[in-house]
Amino acid sequence: MNGQPLQLDRSALSRAAVPLAGPEALQTSARHNWALFVFVMLIPLQNIYAVHLPRLGGGLNFLNLMFFASLLLAWHCGGRLVRGSGLNGWVWLYIGMSLLALLVGLNRVSGSGDHYSILKDQMIAVAFVFLAQLSATDAIGVRRLLLASMIPLPYMLLVVMDQHQAVSSWHYSHDLRISGPFIDLGANELAAFFTTAMLVALGLLLGDRGGSRWRLLYALAAGCAGTGIILTYSRTAYVAALLGIGLIVLLRRGGLRLLLPFALVFMLLPAVLPVSVMERFGTITVEAETRDKSTDDRFRFWAIAKEQFGRHPLLGTGLHTFQHAEINPHLTDTHNFFLRELTEKGLVGGLVLLGLLLAMARLVWYALRRSVPGSLSYGLGLGLSGAFVALVCGNLFGDRFTHYPMIAHFWLYLGLLLRSLSLPQAADPEPGLEPEHARP
């Protein structure tokens, strides 16, 4: 290296399609964003800050104060956004499109005064992708933020188990749909959070040779989150988690050797899982003759969304308008995030969302192709490959993209992946591994 910044040759960049390099590649700093560490740990714990922390009025609540404190310390850390991936640009476009949709919706429906606050909370979650890049200026910063994201999982599982114990039954009933530490959300959103956490931890466990202590942490995090998924009784999360696990195993270099052990585990699961879980899993169907009311209602809401999209195809009806009587007489969400984006933001918003999702997929694919096996960036890329597919699957049957307690960590992991790819040491010093920048 000789003290020179990381450079990738042009042929490599054209092959990878996502060049990640910059003057910040060699930057290291002893500064750490302690406010962001606390923010990351607490943001999924609504039962703590929404119930026990006072609201001071004038917007001085936990979410706003922690965001501004994290942003100020992020600037103090001296980091910069990673250039060349394309992801940051699409994120800015997504934010801009959301602001435009807000303005459109204000003139479309009545009672839209809370739409400003709703959009602000959504964008705070999105901002985690920027906060991660600005705050984690070296590998230590990346790992500390990963640790902060996993610390809440044992506590969250304890809350879930305590709630489950109070309503548990041999056969499935709707009372089993618990929300854990989530106050404003339900079991499906909690399950989506656990799915992201489990898949990222599993990818790191299989792909990052960061030492035995880190692998033990990854295993503990994956176990806590996986158990949480089971106890939420979310059918979408069951399917999404299985798809994500299968993709991680298939994409991992040498992963074919893991197919048999994972297949054996899945074969044994029905024998150890509660009967109520298996009954819930058995209700997964879209056939009109056999689907339940929840599934049947979704088809009804989707028909309304398609009708509204036909009336306002270019810019849509406006942000958060589908739940208003002027648009949807049922006053419900679409229960399909992609349909809601088309309905509320039109073709323009749909194209922006598609570009954002493709940028995420390209980033993950770049990490898997260009990272050294055993490196932190490889493990993160592996975990996010499964989490990304699970996110897409989950959003087909609900909104798993805008609720800040649920989605903030996903944006955090994207930012950490970007930062880890820009660092000069793409792998921990393990025998037989060489830094990514040293490869031809």
Side-chain angles (χ1 to χ4, degrees), residues 179-249:
S179 58
F182 286 0
I183 300 299
D184 301 327
L185 304 174
N188 289 328
E189 290 76 21
L190 178 64
F193 173 89
F194 278 137
T195 299
T196 295
M198 187 268 290
L199 293 172
V200 170
L202 179 62
L204 287 164
L205 177 63
L206 297 178
D208 174 30
R209 301 181 193 174
S212 57
R213 292 183 179 179
W214 281 102
R215 301 186 80 172
L216 180 61
L217 171 66
Y218 300 150
L220 176 63
C224 289
T227 305
I229 295 171
I230 292 172
L231 296 180
T232 58
Y233 293 87
S234 172
R235 295 171 294 183
T236 302
Y238 291 165
V239 175
L242 290 175
L243 288 175
I245 292 172
L247 185 64
I248 288 174
V249 172

Side-chain angles (χ1 to χ4, degrees), residues 150-161 194 220-221 224-225:
M150 296 178 183
I151 285 177
L153 291 174
Y155 167 75
M156 294 179 72
L157 178 60
L158 286 176
V159 174
V160 167
M161 293 179 68
F194 278 137
L220 176 63
C224 289

Side-chain angles (χ1 to χ4, degrees), residues 308-316 342 345-348:
Q308 290 296 331
F309 171 68
R311 294 179 180 178
H312 311 280
L314 186 60
L315 293 178
L342 281 174
K345 297 180 182 177
L347 282 173
V348 177

Side-chain angles (χ1 to χ4, degrees), residues 3 25 146 189 392 395 420:
L146 280 175
E189 290 76 21
V392 172
N395 278 294
S420 65

Side-chain angles (χ1 to χ4, degrees), residues 76-122:
H76 180 68
C77 289
R80 286 179 285 178
L81 298 182
V82 179
R83 295 172 296 174
S85 71
L87 177 63
N88 288 327
W90 281 106
V91 173
W92 285 118
L93 279 175
Y94 177 72
I95 293 173
M97 186 63 221
S98 298
L99 289 170
L100 177 60
L102 172 67
L103 298 177
V104 171
L106 293 177
N107 298 318
R108 193 85 68 184
V109 298
S110 59
S112 57
D114 62 341
H115 290 191
Y116 296 98
S117 178
I118 291 172
L119 178 60
K120 182 265 298 177
D121 291 350
Q122 293 175 8

Side-chain angles (χ1 to χ4, degrees), residues 196 360 384 387-388 391 406-415:
T196 295
M360 292 179 185
L384 275 170
F388 174 76
L391 185 72
M406 179 199 72
I407 196 63
H409 281 192
F410 179 83
W411 288 107
L412 174 80
Y413 295 137
L414 285 173

